[in-house]
Amino acid sequence: MKKTILQMAATVLALWGIFTANSMVAGQQVMASASADAGVQVPVLMYHSILKDPARTGKYVLPPDALKADIAYLKEHGYESVTVSDLLAYVRDGAPLPEKPVMITFDDGYYNNYLYAYPILKEQGMRAVISIIGSQTALFTENGQENAYWSHLTTERCREMAADGTVEIQNHSYDLHTYGNRRGCLRTRGEDEASYRAFLQHDTREAQELITGAGLPEPTCYTYPFGSLSKESEVILKEMGFQCTLGCEEGVNTVTRDPDCLYQMKRFNRPAGISTGAFMKKAGIT
């Protein structure tokens, strides 16, 4: 009788252990699912031109030493760089993101990005997204000029930086980064929707063809010139297959499994004249 009672007690304890273990696993799965549903905070940093000349630094021109300090800060605080492809893999395929992701972006595709930013990124093992202006890349690919002050990246430089995985090339329009009757992707006064659609599609395709014609992956992200967009532009770009758009409004992004979270992503512009610590604090990076 005593033996039977002991056997029953042992069975109850074993079953309780199995129940507890299963409950813990289930709880962990629920927590992981809840975490995925809540999304991941992804700050996006926006850089432009990188120049050594202190007389040229300003809102959109940063000295290389400041960029180097920024990248070192990110590394020291445990941040890992991600690209648009990484975000798409997370959203659409369920691939994991780093614990502390950050996306580093450069707009316009200046040659000085290759000259100064690329070596800094490689040295620190960080990656970046460079959105090029198609017409400027075509121009300097043709004339071969490489000057830190005014040149833009050639397709050869784009291929070189993309080949080792340091840089991902995206679309910043073909020729909409100019000041004139039209500002960026905005419709002009009196322009009907059909004409506007045809215009934006043509310009965007021209940039896509330049990039893919250079042997680079087809861009999946459109970076709005000046951050200017219209209610129609998002619809048109989605129809063209773009899965992400970058704007200029400041704020931290919450990336979830919803594909719409990658449109009109917010970014923090990096000006000269403030410390790395102050800029990172503004961007919520600590």
Side-chain angles (χ1 to χ4, degrees):
M1 180 70 174
K2 184 176 181 181
K3 185 175 180 181
T4 302
I5 293 172
L6 289 173
Q7 288 174 336
M8 290 175 63
T11 301
V12 170
L13 288 172
L15 290 172
W16 175 253
I18 293 171
F19 172 78
T20 303
N22 287 340
S23 297
M24 290 176 65
V25 170
Q28 290 170 351
Q29 290 173 341
V30 169
M31 288 176 65
S33 176
S35 176
D37 291 341
V40 179
Q41 298 295 104
V42 182
V44 183
L45 308 182
M46 176 171 55
Y47 296 87
H48 292 80
S49 183
I50 309 296
L51 283 175
K52 287 184 175 181
D53 186 351
R56 299 292 292 273
T57 58
K59 187 175 180 180
Y60 300 114
V61 182
L62 192 73
D65 287 348
L67 174 63
K68 190 170 185 177
D70 287 358
I71 301 302
Y73 184 100
L74 293 172
K75 292 282 289 186
E76 289 166 5
H77 287 75
Y79 282 84
E80 297 181 51
S81 56
V82 296
T83 63
V84 174
S85 297
D86 295 322
L87 298 183
L88 286 172
Y90 173 81
V91 171
R92 299 185 179 277
D93 306 325
L97 286 175
E99 184 178 347
K100 298 173 77 172
V102 62
M103 189 156 74
I104 302 164
T105 68
F106 290 83
D107 282 12
D108 307 333
Y110 295 106
Y111 167 67
N112 56 45
N113 293 176
Y114 171 83
L115 189 62
Y116 299 123
Y118 179 49
I120 292 170
L121 293 166
K122 284 187 69 174
E123 181 184 4
Q124 294 292 335
M126 299 288 268
R127 296 175 296 153
V129 174
I130 297 182
S131 300
I132 64 171
I133 302 169
S135 61
Q136 294 300 308
T137 287
L139 173 65
F140 287 96
T141 297
E142 182 178 353
N143 67 31
Q145 293 181 12
E146 291 190 326
N147 185 287
Y149 283 88
W150 66 75
S151 297
H152 284 247
L153 292 165
T154 63
T155 53
E156 181 182 353
R157 295 304 188 192
C158 290
R159 281 196 300 270
E160 181 182 346
M161 293 187 293
D164 63 14
T166 302
V167 167
E168 182 179 80
I169 301 296
Q170 297 291 352
N171 189 327
H172 199 25
S173 85
Y174 188 81
D175 198 24
L176 297 186
H177 210 284
T178 56
Y179 292 95
N181 294 331
R182 186 189 306 276
R183 181 174 173 81
C185 291
L186 296 179
R187 283 173 67 172
T188 58
R189 180 174 296 182
E191 184 176 34
D192 64 77
E193 187 171 344
S195 299
Y196 172 72
R197 172 180 288 270
F199 172 83
L200 182 57
Q201 287 176 335
H202 175 77
D203 181 272
T204 304
R205 286 197 188 103
E206 201 166 1
Q208 292 290 87
E209 290 168 4
L210 172 76
I211 293 167
T212 57
L216 291 158
E218 184 174 28
T220 53
C221 180
Y222 188 91
T223 302
Y224 281 108
F226 313 114
S228 299
L229 67 154
S230 67
K231 63 181 181 180
E232 299 90 357
S233 62
E234 285 283 273
V235 174
I236 295 167
L237 292 169
K238 284 182 180 180
E239 290 175 353
M240 294 183 72
F242 286 94
Q243 301 170 64
C244 173
T245 57
L246 300 178
C248 294
E249 182 181 345
E250 294 195 334
V252 177
N253 305 280
T254 300
V255 177
T256 66
R257 303 299 188 192
D258 180 1
D260 284 341
C261 74
L262 297 183
Y263 292 98
Q264 297 183 49
M265 293 191 75
K266 299 177 176 66
R267 298 186 291 166
F268 291 91
N269 179 61
R270 177 44 158 130
I274 65 171
S275 69
T276 288
F279 173 65
M280 294 300 174
K281 182 178 180 180
K282 178 184 178 183
I285 295 174
T286 55

